[in-house]
Amino acid sequence: PLRFGLKYIKSDDTEGVPVMIHRALFGSVERFIAILLEDNGGKWPFWLSPRQCIICTVSDKHVDYAKEVFFRIQEADYHISTDFSDKPLPKKIAIAQNAQFNFMLIVGEKEQASRVVNVRTRHKKDHKEMTVDQLL
């Protein structure tokens, strides 16, 4: 108010300088989130992502093992989703990548037999097969 020479007339006809009260409780949080979104192009870091991991099954024969994996990861307090649909696996992976999941866990015949998951990142990189304990 002083820098702009702001004044008002009080009830007793004298001039007064207005007091400006500013409180931005969420302004810095909003700026932080905006910067985080802009810097990462909408791809949230793993620790903040609401879509940390998704399990995609090759077919409905692997759903039981995928559910075991799901519950193990969920018990470790990670955000995990599943895709047990009858869509082809490449379609499931494309959908998961577009949804910005950090990790896609692929479960098929070979993974079920050896009690592992095939780990793939959203950057289209195949990692390797891991046990759930190694993953966690």
Side-chain angles (χ1 to χ4, degrees):
L2 294 174
R3 265 191 358 196
F4 296 107
L6 299 177
K7 296 185 180 175
Y8 70 97
I9 304 298
K10 297 181 187 179
S11 59
D12 62 357
D13 291 333
T14 60
E15 282 188 349
V17 178
V19 175
M20 188 166 116
I21 300 172
H22 177 71
R23 186 171 179 188
L25 289 176
F26 297 108
S28 58
V29 173
E30 289 168 354
R31 280 190 295 279
F32 171 75
I33 290 172
I35 290 167
L36 193 61
L37 275 170
E38 189 174 316
D39 284 351
N40 294 304
K43 297 175 181 169
W44 292 100
F46 182 77
W47 59 272
L48 189 58
S49 178
R51 295 184 176 136
Q52 292 177 329
C53 185
I54 186 168
I55 300 174
C56 298
T57 54
V58 175
S59 74
D60 59 351
K61 293 185 284 186
H62 313 109
V63 171
D64 290 336
Y65 176 61
K67 285 180 181 177
E68 287 178 39
V69 172
F70 173 84
F71 290 121
R72 290 272 315 277
I73 295 172
Q74 191 179 45
E75 285 173 1
D77 287 331
Y78 290 103
H79 296 281
I80 185 160
S81 300
T82 57
D83 188 349
F84 299 152
S85 67
D86 59 351
K87 295 181 185 108
L89 185 61
K91 180 78 171 169
K92 291 179 183 183
I93 291 171
I95 290 169
Q97 285 174 333
N98 286 338
Q100 301 296 343
F101 279 94
N102 294 73
F103 293 99
M104 287 148 274
L105 307 180
I106 312 303
V107 175
E109 194 71 39
K110 187 171 76 169
E111 291 82 11
Q112 184 173 339
S114 42
R115 309 298 288 172
V116 295
V117 291
N118 191 314
V119 181
R120 183 181 173 104
T121 67
R122 68 174 160 212
H123 305 295
K124 301 179 182 176
K125 293 180 184 172
D126 285 323
H127 279 285
K128 59 180 180 177
E129 292 180 346
M130 297 182 190
T131 66
V132 176
D133 289 332
Q134 290 172 325
L135 181 67
L136 296 175

